[in-house]
Amino acid sequence: MAPTTTTAAAAAEVAEKPPPQQQQQQQEREVMGLAAHDASGHLTPIRITRRNTGDDDVAIKVLYCGICHSDLHTIKNEWRNAVYPVVPGHEIAGVVTEVGKNVTKFAAGDSVGVGCMVNTCGACESCADGCENYCPRIVFTYNSVDHRSPTTTTTTRGGYSGAVVVDRRFVVRLPAALPLDRGAPLLCAGVTVYAPMRQHGLCVPGKHVGVVGLGGLGHVAVKFGKAFGMKVTVISTSPGKREEAVERLGADGFLVSTNPSEMKSAMGTMHGIINTASASTSMHPYFALLKPKGKMILLGLPEKPLQIPPFALVGGGKTLAGSCMGSISDTQEMIDFAAEHGVAADIELIGVDEVNTAMERLAKGDVRYRFVIDIGNTLKSD
Ligand SMILES: NC(=O)C1=CN([C@@H]2O[C@H](COP(=O)(O)OP(=O)(O)OC[C@H]3O[C@@H](n4cnc5c(N)ncnc54)[C@H](OP(=O)(O)O)[C@@H]3O)[C@@H](O)[C@H]2O)C=CC1
Ligand SMILES: O=C/C=C/c1ccc(O)c(O)c1
Ligand SMILES: [Zn+2]
Ligand SMILES: [Zn+2]
């Protein structure tokens, strides 16, 4: 969150680095992965190239990778930016196999995680402020131009693969108290909800937060909200999730967004709302739940634009804010907080053979609450 001296040091380090071509003494190596080749999103095995471990790199054997709805948006080209073949995956938990000579923070055998980004410029205002997730030159973990690629034409390939090689600045430590399979989803879903809750003051005991959409992001938001000591109400399109939201996840309340009397009963009661809906919906009923000066934090990235009636915001002086992932320091802070407070994702662990079925189920909202691919035990190495 707050600017850190380590980020300033990282910026200086980047400025001193030789151009990427000179860093690449490495030989390439091949690993297996799963790729979508067109907007059908169907995933099939693919052999991909990983750079050898550079001086600042950490080589990681992928053990588990969560399936984020962004993976689904991307492989189906719903954001119109897919560069096929797409190897998704940015909720990566694994074990270090090798480190470059400048890497002192990690060693072979360490449990580590990688989230949504694998490079930033290190020199812009956002990077200097410790908000590298807003760097204009951010390199996402997959489907992003890869400045460090052995060839100049490739895009980054993510964690639906046997191994990744990542600059040390984008690797976080996973404490022993956090199970790797249930911890993997925190690398995207976890930090994406945790960072704005902290930044917008939705982490204060006794305050009331609403969570729109009880999916991968939403269920973790409920868990963090309760760990912060907040009153948490889920706002869902799925009446069938009521009991599990309250009994299993610990939510204090549950509103079906299409039930006007339930929604009316909670009007004007919430300090903030974390909106994780993956599809477009009318925003007006959600704004009505906020207290005057309440904040709606938009995290979901639906394919279609949202419609926001001006009176819903202007009356009551309400704020609509967006938030994208979190910084690396947010991510490490969130992971350490999760380990300390027993927060981890509720997952359905699947093998690589089940990934296409899982994508179909995710599209229908049929998952409790995150699919995680057991890469380590089920991905064939050739
Ligand atoms: N801002 C960021 O940095 C990030 C954004 N994202 C985006 O956040 C969104 C959620 O991701 P994730 O949690 O993985 O997705 P999930 O599919 O796991 O959960 C999304 C939830 O949205 C709700 N939902 C679905 N359709 C509608 C609809 N028409 N109206 C209202 N609610 C709906 C459902 O909950 P219910 O059944 O309770 O209604 C569903 O479970 C995606 O768009 C993803 O791309 C993801 C990661 C980072
Ligand atoms: O799941 C996380 C994805 C976040 C994201 C945000 C913005 C953007 O342009 C992306 O490609 C991904
Ligand atoms: Zn994600
Ligand atoms: Zn930058």
Side-chain angles (χ1 to χ4, degrees):
M1 328 242 132
T4 60
T5 47
T6 38
T7 310
E13 191 178 82
V14 165
E16 285 168 16
K17 273 186 187 172
Q21 298 85 335
Q22 289 174 34
Q23 294 176 9
Q24 289 162 7
Q25 335 85 328
Q26 68 264 17
Q27 302 120 22
E28 305 166 15
R29 68 194 164 108
E30 291 193 330
V31 299
M32 292 305 290
L34 297 170
H37 297 267
D38 56 45
S40 72
H42 189 75
L43 294 155
T44 55
I46 186 174
R47 196 178 293 276
I48 59 172
T49 304
R50 294 296 187 198
R51 66 175 185 258
N52 203 353
T53 314
D55 291 348
D56 295 309
D57 282 338
V58 181
I60 300 163
K61 176 178 165 57
V62 180
L63 296 178
Y64 300 102
C65 189
I67 299 184
C68 176
H69 205 115
S70 296
D71 302 350
L72 183 58
H73 289 307
T74 304
I75 61 176
K76 290 191 164 287
N77 203 17
E78 290 174 356
W79 295 339
R80 312 282 182 269
N81 67 347
V83 180
Y84 296 107
V86 173
V87 177
H90 58 208
E91 293 184 339
I92 301 168
V95 62
V96 174
T97 53
E98 190 186 16
V99 296
K101 73 173 169 52
N102 296 337
V103 179
T104 52
K105 199 172 146 194
F106 302 105
D110 287 354
S111 294
V112 293
V114 177
C116 300
M117 58 188 156
V118 289
N119 213 345
T120 55
C121 81
C124 71
E125 204 174 322
S126 294
C127 285
D129 284 349
C131 306
E132 66 277 4
N133 46 315
Y134 296 119
C135 173
R137 298 189 62 206
I138 190 167
V139 178
F140 293 102
T141 303
Y142 65 83
N143 195 49
S144 203
V145 174
D146 188 357
H147 306 301
R148 299 279 316 268
S149 162
T151 64
T152 52
T153 52
T154 117
T155 50
T156 49
R157 273 90 195 262
Y160 296 12
S161 66
V164 290
V165 180
V166 180
D167 186 291
R168 58 181 166 160
R169 292 179 297 134
F170 299 92
V171 179
V172 297
R173 183 173 296 287
L174 300 181
L178 189 66
L180 291 187
D181 52 356
R182 297 183 61 213
L186 300 182
L187 275 306
C188 173
V191 71
T192 299
V193 299
Y194 177 93
M197 288 174 89
R198 296 269 287 123
Q199 280 153 17
H200 292 277
L202 299 176
C203 55
V204 178
K207 278 199 178 182
H208 186 190
V209 66
V211 175
V212 172
L214 195 61
L217 268 59
H219 92 288
V220 178
V222 173
K223 292 186 182 208
F224 279 124
K226 291 314 296 174
F228 290 138
M230 301 193 70
K231 177 178 177 186
V232 181
T233 297
V234 172
I235 306 128
S236 173
T237 60
S238 308
K241 293 180 182 175
R242 184 189 302 272
E243 195 177 327
E244 59 210 61
V246 175
E247 303 296 327
R248 201 168 80 215
L249 301 174
D252 301 284
F254 186 94
L255 307 170
V256 177
S257 53
T258 51
N259 181 325
S261 66
E262 279 189 19
M263 293 292 277
K264 198 170 169 199
S265 72
M267 264 173 66
T269 64
M270 298 178 187
H271 294 91
I273 292 177
I274 298 292
N275 188 336
T276 77
S278 56
S280 279
T281 177
S282 170
M283 296 283 278
H284 183 258
Y286 302 139
F287 282 114
L289 298 172
L290 289 171
K291 287 175 181 284
K293 302 197 85 175
K295 294 179 180 178
M296 163 89 70
I297 315 300
L298 191 61
L299 302 179
L301 290 161
E303 179 179 7
K304 301 209 171 79
L306 300 173
Q307 290 209 333
I308 298 161
F311 274 98
L313 262 180
V314 175
K318 294 168 186 174
T319 300
L320 173 61
S323 187
C324 191
M325 313 172 301
S327 68
I328 292 298
S329 95
D330 292 335
T331 308
Q332 189 67 65
E333 179 188 307
M334 174 276 307
I335 287 285
D336 294 343
F337 180 94
E340 193 180 325
H341 292 82
V343 173
D346 285 12
I347 64 165
E348 295 191 39
L349 192 63
I350 60 164
V352 294
D353 293 348
E354 299 167 276
V355 71
N356 288 304
T357 309
M359 288 294 181
E360 285 167 22
R361 287 184 52 200
L362 178 62
K364 292 188 287 193
D366 174 21
V367 50
R368 299 294 189 273
Y369 280 92
R370 197 54 132 194
F371 287 116
V372 171
I373 314 171
D374 185 352
I375 299 276
N377 288 312
T378 67
L379 183 73
K380 293 187 180 66
S381 56
D382 52 9

